[in-house]
Amino acid sequence: PAGPALVDLRAGSPCLEVLDQAAWRRAWRAAGDSAPDATTESAGDPAFRAAVAEHLLRHRGLSATAADVLATSGTSAAVAEVASVLPPGSRVGVEDPGYQRVVGALVDAGVQPVPVPVDRDGLVVSAVPAGLAAVYCTPAHQYPLGLRMSAARRLDLVARARTEGWWVLEDDYDGELRYDVAPLPLLGALGPDVVVHLGTTSKIVSPTLGAGWLVAPPGLRAELLA
């Protein structure tokens, strides 16, 4: 029967109705005015990286310079890049339930995903097994359950990573979107020495952009660039 349109509750769908169409057209025209690059820039376009650094400071409270940022093709691609520099046969903890595209990226990179349970406070840090090379999580907005990792869990996760020598892959999924709560500190701000912070335009602008970013500790960033 005829009635109001249904609300699409599928995860990962941006709200394009609120996009400023005039600004969108201006952005495309400005991009088209740029001259073609004569050489490649492995870290990504400098202007893009500077814009990301400003965005992270203004909207997420993460202090990073443009030099700290690497451009990516999105979160899954960024996870695959990190996995490519891990030792052969590495194991990476992933949330269960969690983002299956990242699981696939890890498998394709020859890394073994290890499921780690989540509860109302996010990833269960005490259930993370020993001997991992990294742990992937979505603390701002757990995918697909929607909850966020508590402040205590965030501190515990960073502390374990430092003690046991593994990386934390922080997927800031929907981190820019909050409704009635104050933001919690990013894992990247709590542990810049052990956290790889990942973001993407897919959820906040459009999945057709296919643009993302990665902020990693200096040593790992150098490995990724190499």
Side-chain angles (χ1 to χ4, degrees):
L6 296 178
V7 176
D8 186 353
L9 297 178
R10 288 176 294 183
S13 300
C15 183
L16 298 179
E17 292 81 4
V18 300
L19 188 66
D20 184 337
Q21 295 294 332
W24 182 251
R25 290 191 294 271
R26 286 196 302 271
W28 277 109
R29 284 197 297 269
D33 287 339
S34 299
D37 293 325
T39 59
T40 59
E41 174 56 71
S42 298
D45 179 70
F48 172 77
R49 291 157 57 208
V52 168
E54 181 182 358
H55 169 79
L56 291 175
L57 180 61
R58 186 184 302 272
H59 295 285
R60 303 301 292 130
L62 181 62
S63 180
T65 68
D68 298 323
V69 177
L70 299 182
T72 72
S73 298
T75 299
S76 300
V79 170
E81 289 185 21
V82 174
S84 70
V85 300
L86 297 178
S90 291
R91 300 161 67 233
V92 174
V94 294
E95 295 169 325
D96 182 22
Y99 189 28
Q100 292 305 299
R101 284 189 63 182
V102 160
V103 173
L106 291 172
V107 171
D108 290 343
V111 171
Q112 179 186 350
V114 178
V116 180
V118 296
D119 61 17
R120 294 183 64 87
D121 287 323
L123 182 85
V124 181
V125 179
S126 60
V128 175
L132 299 182
V135 171
Y136 166 86
C137 58
T138 51
H141 192 167
Q142 202 277 332
Y143 183 90
L145 301 181
L147 46 88
R148 64 178 185 163
M149 186 183 293
S150 67
R153 287 274 176 88
R154 294 171 189 237
L155 292 170
D156 289 345
L157 185 62
V158 169
R160 275 202 65 182
R162 284 179 175 146
T163 300
E164 301 181 27
W166 35 262
W167 302 113
V168 177
L169 309 184
E170 177 186 31
D171 181 351
D172 197 31
Y173 168 68
D174 275 0
E176 294 85 359
L177 307 179
R178 295 184 306 276
Y179 302 98
D180 59 354
V181 293
L184 289 172
L186 293 178
L187 293 173
L190 295 173
D193 53 324
V194 293
V195 174
V196 181
H197 180 82
L198 310 174
T200 177
T201 59
S202 293
K203 312 303 185 297
I204 57 175
V205 182
S206 167
T208 59
L209 277 182
W213 52 87
L214 177 157
V215 179
L220 179 59
R221 189 171 65 251
E223 285 190 69
L224 291 170
L225 280 173

